[in-house]
Amino acid sequence: MEHKTKKDRKLLSLVSEFENDLEKGSLKYFEEKSYNQLIDYYEAENDLEKALDVTDLALDQYSYRSEFFIIKSRILIRMGDFKNAHELLDKAEIVAPFENEIKILRAKILAMSGETTEATQILSELKNLSVNTDFVEILLCESYVFEFLKEYDLMFNTLKKLLQLDSTNTEGLERMLLSVELCRSYSESIIFHKELLDENPYNYLAWYNLGHAYGSTGEYEEAIICLEYSFLINKNFESGYLDCADYAFQIKQYGKALDCYQELVKQFGEDGENLIQIAECQLYLNNTKDAKYNLYKALKLDPYNEELYFHLAKCYANEKSWYTAINAYHKAISIEDRREEFFLGLAKAYVEIENFEKSIFYFHKATLNGVEESIYWREYAMFLIKNHKLEAATEVLDNAEEFTFGADLLYCRASVLLLLDQKEEAYTILEEAFIEDFASHEILFAIHPEFQVDKVISGMIKYFGEDTEE
């Protein structure tokens, strides 16, 4: 551990020296080994521009070395600059005409450009001459060929072979995740990545891929565990933190999501986006004070973010500061005026200050923007029913039927009919609603608490509730 720490400090000192020289415009030459260390560092950090700066400096000093032409070509391929990458390979080939890596990278450019026939021909020739390390790169190139040809099962199987030879190959593992999504082979992915992890339990990308495979099969608890391992093993793996938090948030494990975001901030520092995510979790955990604190910090970093003002509005709504909440909703809408949830929040805030004319206006705007989501029609209808505007509520529910369907809307319609004393029709609709989604029946009592004493409704709830338990 001590040796590794010293090595890390030496590398960081080298990086700091290079960046200081770069900033001053007085770059000096390094040893060949130092160039390679710097390039590896910047590639791992995904700072390809700086990796190119290092490579250009190395080529000034070692213009006779094919290695740096190849490295620069590889970086340019990652950046999608195939033309310049190809020209660099021509130069490398002059220096080292028999270097297999040059041919492999040329095949990769062809494969990624869709010239699959020529790429396949080069790869076929290389297979007969290759050693294991080259064979891994050949298989990687073949995966691009199969992707372009939309042969996703072949892409998946090719990457399996690659990872059986080199289980920690970063590009291979990243492409494996893509191939699994393309051919939807989630169960096979679970089995395969478990095998990789049996071989090497510290393979962070294998944990990451396994987590996504579990997530795609609906096994969210397992997904969260695997994704957490990915960033515990590699503390610099940002996607691990973000995706773990995302899955936790989806299944309402807001405390877990909050932990992930806070660990992310410790590792990478604060930015407007992760402060908003932290605040959103805190809002769900009823911690309005801390949520508001983080949103104000985010405001200094990103003052034109609509999500920020939306969540601030929710903080003020929790504190019943309705006029301040209304101002925050209006600010969010001034930045982004097509978000139905913004209009719904604003409509509800106007209800609280009894400005019903504006409430109706913004409920209507919410349904126009979220026309296919039953929740916006439901909230509008519930507001109208509670305010005894039964004809208007019926009209809203009729309009909703043109765009969406939901048990919540059935409960609303049944409520209108019950209040109009059209009980037989109401009970028929209630039966359909109970079958469709029994758990949502509390909507009835939210609209009109007196429905709880209706003997027919009580009997239906008892009957369908027992049926649901079975």
Side-chain angles (χ1 to χ4, degrees):
M1 180 63 72
E2 187 182 348
H3 176 72
K4 186 178 186 301
T5 304
K6 285 179 182 176
K7 185 179 174 184
D8 288 346
R9 284 176 185 162
K10 194 172 179 181
L11 173 60
L12 291 173
S13 175
L14 178 65
V15 170
S16 178
E17 184 183 351
F18 171 74
E19 291 188 355
N20 285 335
D21 289 347
L22 186 65
E23 193 174 335
K24 292 174 186 173
S26 58
L27 288 168
K28 59 179 178 286
Y29 291 135
F30 293 91
E31 292 180 1
E32 188 177 343
K33 179 184 175 184
S34 296
Y35 284 128
N36 283 314
Q37 287 176 323
L38 284 166
I39 292 164
D40 288 345
Y41 173 81
Y42 286 121
E43 282 200 90
E45 292 292 309
N46 211 31
D47 191 342
L48 301 183
E49 292 292 345
K50 279 210 176 76
L52 278 182
D53 288 336
V54 177
T55 312
D56 285 337
L57 191 63
L59 281 168
D60 281 343
Q61 188 174 348
Y62 298 101
S63 57
Y64 58 90
R65 293 297 305 270
S66 64
E67 175 189 358
F68 291 114
F69 285 110
I70 290 168
I71 288 170
K72 186 171 180 181
S73 178
R74 187 186 70 219
I75 294 167
L76 289 170
I77 290 169
R78 283 185 67 183
M79 296 172 79
D81 187 351
F82 299 147
K83 182 177 180 293
N84 285 320
H86 203 88
E87 288 173 3
L88 278 164
L89 291 176
D90 290 340
K91 292 178 183 178
E93 205 159 33
I94 293 168
V95 179
F98 303 109
E99 177 64 64
N100 275 353
E101 191 174 357
I102 296 169
K103 295 182 176 69
I104 290 168
L105 286 175
R106 204 181 292 283
K108 189 173 184 178
I109 291 168
L110 290 165
M112 293 174 77
S113 304
E115 297 177 48
T116 54
T117 303
E118 196 175 341
T120 302
Q121 187 179 340
I122 294 171
L123 294 172
S124 297
E125 291 168 5
L126 284 168
K127 276 183 180 179
N128 299 322
L129 307 167
S130 68
V131 293
N132 267 1
T133 51
D134 287 342
F135 199 63
V136 167
E137 293 301 318
I138 289 166
L139 290 169
L140 194 57
C141 285
E142 280 190 335
S143 78
Y144 283 99
V145 172
F146 292 132
E147 181 188 0
F148 186 85
L149 296 172
K150 297 185 178 179
E151 298 279 2
Y152 301 132
D153 288 332
L154 290 174
M155 179 187 176
F156 175 75
N157 289 326
T158 299
L159 289 164
K160 274 180 70 175
K161 290 177 192 173
L162 182 161
L163 293 168
Q164 283 162 349
L165 291 171
D166 180 5
S167 64
T168 59
N169 186 284
T170 300
E171 191 173 357
L173 284 160
E174 288 171 351
R175 288 189 57 70
M176 173 58 90
L177 181 63
L178 172 64
S179 78
V180 170
E181 289 298 324
L182 291 171
C183 66
R184 310 183 80 77
S185 50
Y186 305 119
S187 298
E188 295 91 331
S189 177
I190 290 169
I191 294 166
F192 177 68
H193 284 94
K194 279 184 171 180
E195 290 170 359
L196 290 186
L197 289 163
D198 284 341
E199 179 189 324
N200 175 11
Y202 295 98
N203 187 338
Y204 77 97
L205 280 175
W207 281 113
Y208 182 71
N209 289 1
L210 180 59
H212 276 283
Y214 275 126
S216 297
T217 58
E219 297 181 68
Y220 299 118
E221 297 277 0
E222 291 294 333
I224 290 165
I225 292 167
C226 294
L227 291 167
E228 187 172 19
Y229 278 131
S230 77
F231 67 78
L232 288 174
I233 293 166
N234 181 358
K235 292 190 180 298
N236 293 318
F237 185 47
E238 190 172 359
S239 295
Y241 296 94
L242 291 170
D243 293 356
C244 186
D246 186 48
Y247 273 120
F249 195 89
Q250 283 183 49
I251 62 169
K252 301 182 179 180
Q253 287 189 7
Y254 302 118
K256 184 70 177 177
L258 179 60
D259 289 343
C260 293
Y261 287 129
Q262 288 176 330
E263 286 299 316
L264 178 74
V265 165
K266 280 182 192 174
Q267 194 64 25
F268 298 100
E270 292 177 344
D271 64 34
E273 196 60 40
N274 57 44
L275 285 169
I276 292 168
Q277 289 164 330
I278 285 170
E280 188 173 7
C281 293
Q282 289 168 333
L283 272 170
Y284 276 105
L285 293 166
N286 297 315
N287 188 350
T288 302
K289 182 182 175 183
D290 286 346
K292 201 160 68 168
Y293 172 74
N294 282 307
L295 289 168
Y296 273 116
K297 281 205 290 185
L299 193 60
K300 294 176 183 176
L301 299 169
D302 187 4
Y304 301 103
N305 187 308
E306 69 276 9
E307 286 284 339
L308 193 159
Y309 288 102
F310 175 56
H311 293 306
L312 261 181
K314 289 197 283 187
C315 288
Y316 293 126
N318 285 353
E319 295 171 342
K320 302 192 185 304
S321 300
W322 298 112
Y323 288 97
T324 317
I326 285 166
N327 286 335
Y329 280 125
H330 276 297
K331 182 65 178 176
I333 290 166
S334 73
I335 299 169
E336 173 53 73
D337 63 357
R338 291 173 296 178
R339 294 280 295 276
E340 52 269 22
E341 64 269 40
F342 295 2
F343 290 112
L344 179 61
L346 185 54
K348 287 183 168 183
Y350 275 120
V351 169
E352 294 295 336
I353 64 168
E354 298 184 358
N355 189 332
F356 299 139
E357 186 178 341
K358 285 192 174 179
S359 293
I360 288 170
F361 177 79
Y362 288 111
F363 275 124
H364 180 63
K365 290 278 282 185
T367 61
L368 289 179
N369 282 273
V371 70
E372 293 179 352
E373 299 290 330
S374 67
I375 180 176
Y376 301 104
W377 298 98
R378 177 189 83 207
E379 292 291 336
Y380 191 7
M382 285 177 68
F383 163 74
L384 292 169
I385 297 166
K386 286 178 182 180
N387 285 277
H388 314 290
K389 298 180 183 294
L390 302 183
E391 188 177 337
T394 301
E395 187 178 344
V396 167
L397 293 168
D398 289 343
N399 289 336
E401 283 185 357
E402 296 180 31
F403 304 103
T404 188
F405 171 81
D408 52 351
L409 300 181
L410 293 174
Y411 287 117
C412 288
R413 191 175 289 280
S415 298
V416 172
L417 292 167
L418 285 166
L419 291 169
L420 291 170
D421 206 29
Q422 297 176 23
K423 292 190 174 181
E424 290 306 315
E425 190 178 351
Y427 296 145
T428 302
I429 290 172
L430 273 179
E431 184 175 350
E432 184 184 350
F434 285 134
I435 293 168
E436 184 68 29
D437 182 5
F438 176 79
S440 294
H441 74 268
E442 293 293 334
I443 290 170
L444 281 171
F445 310 137
I447 292 170
H448 195 66
E450 287 80 359
F451 289 154
Q452 292 180 80
V453 298
D454 185 302
K455 292 181 180 178
V456 176
I457 293 175
S458 298
M460 292 176 79
I461 288 171
K462 185 178 179 183
Y463 174 79
F464 285 102
E466 289 171 354
D467 201 37
T468 304
E469 287 172 12
E470 287 174 15

